[in-house]
Amino acid sequence: WLRESGVGPGTLLESADAAAALGLSVALIGIDMQPAGIIALADQTHPESKSAIEQLHALGVRVHILSGDRHAAVSRLAGELCISDFESQLSPAEKLERIRTFVSAGRGVAM
């Protein structure tokens, strides 16, 4: 988006890529049409999330993550929650397509 607005990312890309490689979601910041910094965010899971996922697995429920976030961030989160089925960098339309595929295969879907 910065490039589309006429702001080159300058040296920020290296820092952004390093943060993304750690599984963080990254936003680049521009001020007065100049690259100014990055914000790196980590998804925080609810303290009971892992236990809830484990209970679902014990019941035979397959848990999937469908996310628009970068692969490294989704992979980190899925690893924390012991979820092996995940997809990243999906558009809203792609997520809907996946859900429709699950439903048409006779699988129940809950969100």
Side-chain angles (χ1 to χ4, degrees), residues 1-17 27-31 33-37 70:
W1 182 83
L2 285 178
R3 282 189 181 128
E4 291 174 9
S5 299
V7 178
T11 60
L12 298 179
L13 281 182
E14 187 174 313
S15 296
D17 288 343
L28 287 93
I29 307 299
I31 299 175
M33 301 302 289
Q34 296 297 315
R70 288 184 182 199

Side-chain angles (χ1 to χ4, degrees), residues 17-100:
D17 288 343
L22 296 173
L24 302 174
S25 295
V26 180
L28 287 93
I29 307 299
I31 299 175
D32 294 327
M33 301 302 289
Q34 296 297 315
I38 67 168
I39 296 175
L41 305 166
D43 288 321
Q44 294 289 313
T45 59
H46 190 280
E48 297 174 2
S49 296
K50 186 173 181 181
S51 174
I53 298 299
E54 288 170 348
Q55 290 176 36
L56 289 169
H57 285 158
L59 292 171
V61 175
R62 291 183 60 190
V63 179
H64 295 256
I65 296 175
L66 302 176
S67 177
D69 291 337
R70 288 184 182 199
H71 180 79
V74 179
S75 179
R76 182 187 59 78
L77 182 64
E80 284 180 23
L81 297 175
C82 299
I83 298 172
S84 59
D85 296 314
F86 66 91
E87 292 185 67
S88 57
Q89 296 178 255
L90 297 175
S91 69
E94 290 170 322
K95 292 178 205 176
L96 180 58
E97 176 187 322
R98 300 305 191 278
I99 291 168
R100 286 182 172 153

